């Protein structure tokens, strides 16, 4: 079974700074998807960004971008110009191609300091 | 307009009781899920339905029984509640695998 590891339980940065959240995963498969989800203190999870493993280009969504290193099985999330509203738990997640079962990492609690 | 709505948002009950959580989505998605988030924030899938058919049933005690009367609804019934069932239960729906739209969660506390 695949595992998803987030080695940083908690992080904090000053507003407007850039922060990078780490995620590694373990799989022998070649076709899969990776995701970052955000869970603000209000609890509702929302999708931040998605990456297909077959794509070499790193995904970007406004201030959010990923650094996908397939050989290293690493999938980090970079948040640029961080804002107070970025304060949340961030979960990395893995999905086999053709599957419905999303496997989540243990999460990183990010606090943006005013 | 709430996309994925769960009721109730909070349940406090005694061990041994039976409880249900309802979920409805108005997004037209074919697939719905139940996830459990424990006190350490770890999220684990419990069940998945596609167009009313069960497609994922993780190793969940059979005290937990999902029911999908139609593709817009996925309810979760829990019999004989135990202390370890205390958690936040999230319903979600998705248009494509991996892209989940979550409800706000239902916090279950078993005393």
């Amino acid at each position: 079974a695949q595992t998803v590891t987030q080695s940083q339980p908690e992080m904090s940065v000053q507003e407007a700074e850039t922060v990078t959240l780490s995620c590694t995963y373990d799989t022998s498969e070649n076709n899969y998807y990776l995701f970052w989800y955000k869970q603000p203190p209000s609890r509702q999870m929302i999708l931040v960004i998605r990456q297909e493993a077959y794509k070499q280009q790193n995904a970007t969504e406004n201030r959010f971008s990923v650094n996908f290193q397939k050989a290293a099985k690493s999938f980090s999330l970079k948040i640029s110009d961080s804002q107070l509203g970025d304060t949340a738990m961030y979960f990395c997640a893995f999905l086999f191609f053709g599957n419905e079962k999303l496997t989540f990492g243990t999460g990183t609690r990010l606090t943006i300091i005013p | 307009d709430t996309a994925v709505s769960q009721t109730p948002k909070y349940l406090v009950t005694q061990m041994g009781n039976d409880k249900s959580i309802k979920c409805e989505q108005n997004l037209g998605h074919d697939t719905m899920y139940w996830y459990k988030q424990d006190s350490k924030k770890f999220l684990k899938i419990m069940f998945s339905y596609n167009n009313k058919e069960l497609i994922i049933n993780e190793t969940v005690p059979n005290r937990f029984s999902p029911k999908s009367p139609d593709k817009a609804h996925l309810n979760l019934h829990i019999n004989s509640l135990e202390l370890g069932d205390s958690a936040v239960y999230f319903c979600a729906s998705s248009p494509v695998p991996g892209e989940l739209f979550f409800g706000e969660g239902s916090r279950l506390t078993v005393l």
Side-chain angles (χ1 to χ4, degrees):
Chain A
Q2 71 283 0
T3 57
V4 180
T5 301
Q6 293 179 247
S7 59
Q8 304 149 313
E10 293 190 28
M11 295 184 73
S12 59
V13 293
Q14 293 289 136
E15 193 177 2
E17 288 186 351
T18 294
V19 60
T20 299
L21 309 183
S22 301
C23 173
T24 58
Y25 56 94
D26 185 22
T27 185
S28 56
E29 297 291 325
N30 198 42
N31 293 321
Y32 51 87
Y33 304 95
L34 294 160
F35 305 84
W36 279 98
Y37 277 85
K38 169 184 177 181
Q39 186 178 30
S42 64
R43 298 186 305 170
Q44 190 167 17
M45 297 252 291
I46 54 174
L47 177 64
V48 175
I49 201 163
R50 161 195 173 118
Q51 174 80 43
E52 291 86 352
Y54 64 84
K55 288 188 178 177
Q56 292 187 344
Q57 187 171 5
N58 289 324
T60 298
E61 287 287 341
N62 301 315
R63 297 182 296 107
F64 297 86
S65 61
V66 299
N67 183 2
F68 174 47
Q69 302 289 329
K70 191 172 184 180
K73 297 180 183 175
S74 169
F75 182 61
S76 60
L77 175 71
K78 185 171 86 170
I79 307 174
S80 303
D81 185 26
S82 57
Q83 301 174 358
L84 297 179
D86 296 333
T87 292
M89 285 286 291
Y90 286 83
F91 293 93
C92 179
F94 175 100
L95 180 73
F96 284 120
F97 180 78
N99 201 313
E100 291 282 353
K101 181 181 166 184
L102 196 60
T103 299
F104 285 90
T106 49
T108 296
R109 185 183 301 278
L110 175 66
T111 302
I112 308 301
I113 303 165
Chain B
D1 288 343
T2 304
V4 181
S5 59
Q6 299 178 225
T7 54
K9 289 187 168 42
Y10 298 94
L11 304 93
V12 180
T13 189
Q14 300 287 332
M15 271 195 329
N17 284 349
D18 303 339
K19 287 292 177 187
S20 292
I21 307 172
K22 295 186 176 182
C23 178
E24 177 181 3
Q25 55 101 359
N26 62 6
L27 298 167
H29 297 160
D30 284 341
T31 308
M32 295 185 72
Y33 308 81
W34 279 109
Y35 276 82
K36 178 180 179 180
Q37 187 174 46
D38 63 23
S39 58
K40 295 183 179 178
K41 300 290 189 184
F42 183 65
L43 269 161
K44 192 171 191 308
I45 191 168
M46 300 174 70
F47 302 103
S48 174
Y49 272 74
N50 183 277
N51 206 5
K52 301 193 298 176
E53 287 198 22
L54 181 66
I55 56 172
I56 294 175
N57 184 348
E58 285 295 286
T59 310
V60 177
N62 57 15
R63 298 182 295 102
F64 290 79
S65 52
K67 282 200 171 45
S68 182
D70 56 61
K71 77 172 195 177
H73 295 84
L74 179 61
N75 304 323
L76 182 66
H77 187 76
I78 316 169
N79 290 324
S80 303
L81 279 157
E82 300 177 357
L83 293 176
D85 298 332
S86 294
V88 181
Y89 292 85
F90 284 96
C91 177
S93 69
S94 81
V96 294
E99 293 191 12
L100 271 57
F101 291 72
F102 283 87
E104 292 186 349
S106 297
R107 182 180 294 278
L108 171 65
T109 302
V110 183
L111 303 175

